[in-house]
Amino acid sequence: MDPRFPDARKLVTAILLTAAMAAAPMAAFAQDPRVTPPKQQKPPEAPSKLPKVGADRTRGLDFLFGALKAAPDEVSAKHVEARIWALWLQTPSDTAALLMMRAKAAMDAQQTDTALKLLDAVVKLRPDYVEAWNRRATLYYLKNDYAHSLQDIEQVLVREPRHFGALAGLGMIMQDIGDDKRALDAFRKALAVNPHLEKVPELVKTLTEKVEGRDI
């Protein structure tokens, strides 16, 4: 656990307990594909084209997160963000990498059941692989299966508390189930890591006014 984010696991654990009853009927609702509403947005994800990065993962990520906060403009920030995603997606397992590619193709083709089976296989093969958990959390979110999505988000944040994609996804789930306070908390944590996330600053502004009221 990163000492700079000591409460990441505590936050998600509390949210899991609070959201369990609210998420359960929504997950059941999502079981019928005829009534599952399409998602208007989804959590931040890796761009389709990623740069090549070195193998020094830990030191590379620490440097890149510092550069992300210091980025002078959106263009520079997107370059740094892409390098972070590239490091997150790295895996020493060729099999896991191949399964991830196939899962992404299945998701893009809206073959959710196939994608889920592939991601289940990656998680079993490489339980230490953060991006497998994150991508499966996104898939569960798109299926409105919030209970399972929250469980996978917890696994992501235990391994990488700075994962702004998972934090933003956590905020989206909390917002969807009507827990604006925890949604605001999650979005703020995401912005603390990556101040250049699209749409999240607007969400923070709206939720701040809603939760804490307007400044007098």
Side-chain angles (χ1 to χ4, degrees):
M1 175 104 25
D2 192 319
R4 289 168 293 183
F5 294 87
D7 59 341
R9 185 170 188 175
K10 188 184 297 182
L11 167 68
V12 184
T13 302
I15 286 172
L16 278 166
L17 293 172
T18 303
M21 288 187 294
M26 294 184 184
F29 177 81
Q31 297 305 309
D32 187 345
R34 295 171 298 178
V35 294
T36 302
K39 289 291 182 186
Q40 298 301 312
Q41 58 181 342
K42 60 182 178 180
E45 60 182 5
S48 56
K49 293 183 179 180
L50 292 171
K52 292 183 178 180
V53 291
D56 191 350
R57 180 184 179 84
T58 302
R59 189 168 63 183
L61 280 172
D62 289 344
F63 172 80
L64 288 170
F65 275 114
L68 187 59
K69 285 186 178 182
D73 52 56
E74 294 298 319
V75 174
S76 300
K78 286 301 176 187
H79 283 302
V80 177
E81 187 179 306
R83 294 181 68 83
I84 291 173
W85 280 111
L87 278 173
W88 279 340
L89 280 162
Q90 275 187 344
T91 171
S93 169
D94 292 340
T95 302
L98 179 60
L99 290 171
M100 287 289 284
M101 287 177 59
R102 290 180 175 173
K104 179 65 164 61
M107 289 176 69
D108 291 344
Q110 298 185 348
Q111 298 171 349
T112 55
D113 290 342
T114 299
L116 185 56
K117 289 178 181 178
L118 290 164
L119 291 171
D120 288 346
V122 181
V123 167
K124 288 180 181 178
L125 178 67
R126 301 291 304 194
D128 58 333
Y129 186 22
V130 172
E131 206 49 38
W133 293 101
N134 182 60
R135 192 157 289 179
R136 195 172 70 171
T138 298
L139 181 56
Y140 278 133
Y141 171 76
L142 295 173
K143 289 167 63 69
N144 287 343
D145 188 344
Y146 295 155
H148 282 106
S149 185
L150 285 169
Q151 289 171 3
D152 281 2
I153 287 172
E154 181 182 27
Q155 294 297 323
V156 174
L157 296 179
V158 164
R159 293 164 173 79
E160 177 50 273
R162 301 170 296 186
H163 200 298
F164 48 82
L167 288 166
L170 178 59
M172 289 177 185
I173 293 176
M174 292 298 101
Q175 191 174 29
D176 283 356
I177 67 175
D179 194 336
D180 291 334
K181 188 175 185 300
R182 284 200 169 97
L184 178 59
D185 191 20
F187 285 138
R188 281 175 170 168
K189 287 180 184 298
L191 279 183
V193 178
N194 182 358
H196 304 276
L197 285 170
E198 294 179 4
K199 300 181 181 179
V200 176
E202 291 82 359
L203 290 170
V204 167
K205 181 180 179 182
T206 300
L207 286 170
T208 298
E209 292 177 356
K210 191 174 180 180
V211 173
E212 300 174 356
R214 295 177 180 272
D215 294 333
I216 300 176

